Amino acid sequence: MYRGAPTDLSGPQVRAHQFADEIIGKLSGGLPGIASTQITFVSSRGGSKEIWVMDYDGSNQRQLTTLKSIALTPRWSPDASAHRFHLLRAVAGLTSAQICMYSMDTGKLVSFPVSAEPTSLPHGLRTARKSSFHLPCKAIRTLRLPTPAAAAPSA
């Protein structure tokens, strides 16, 4: 039986998702349904590309990050406790590509330790020095990109 408090506005939807998952489980021989799952996605509805999450049916959309930058390629951790994503952010005149993680348990970005000395990575990439940025993300590569004004051909 699926019951909830009459004042719980999300209750009927949660119970419908649980019911749908149970039906799929019975019909598929025990395979889990997707009705209680969530989808993570990128949206720029607030002006910058941020990470959002929603229920599988598109309801219950909420913004996870407010980095005012470009967040891309969100991925769930295997235990669904965190999201990993890429972030492009201007730091000291450079565009820094970083790997970030958002904890669903704490509701905050997870800090990655960065050593004071560069660390070698595949293909000759290096992490940024600790003094070059103060973000709760790990820098993978710093790119020097032209500004739109510098890139535009002169008339």
Side-chain angles (χ1 to χ4, degrees), residues 36-53:
S36 298
T37 61
Q38 291 187 317
I39 298 168
T40 183
F41 64 100
V42 175
S43 175
S44 59
R45 64 183 80 173
S48 56
K49 291 186 176 186
E50 302 289 350
I51 305 297
W52 289 64
V53 67

Side-chain angles (χ1 to χ4, degrees), residues 14-107:
V14 169
R15 288 189 297 280
H17 289 175
Q18 291 169 340
F19 183 65
D21 281 343
E22 189 174 314
I23 290 171
I24 295 298
K26 298 284 184 190
L27 294 175
S28 67
L31 293 175
I34 63 166
S36 298
T37 61
Q38 291 187 317
I39 298 168
T40 183
F41 64 100
V42 175
S43 175
S44 59
R45 64 183 80 173
S48 56
K49 291 186 176 186
E50 302 289 350
I51 305 297
W52 289 64
V53 67
M54 69 180 171
D55 291 344
Y56 91 104
D57 61 0
S59 64
N60 196 24
Q61 293 185 16
R62 64 190 187 284
Q63 187 173 349
L64 294 183
T65 63
T66 53
L67 299 170
K68 307 246 185 277
S69 192
I70 301 172
L72 303 168
T73 62
R75 299 288 184 267
W76 286 97
S77 65
D79 65 355
S81 67
H83 291 284
R84 188 259 320 142
F85 60 96
H86 294 96
L87 179 70
L88 298 176
R89 188 170 199 171
V91 178
L94 300 174
T95 300
S96 178
Q98 303 165 359
I99 296 175
C100 301
M101 192 163 51
Y102 180 89
S103 170
M104 296 300 287
D105 297 332
T106 64

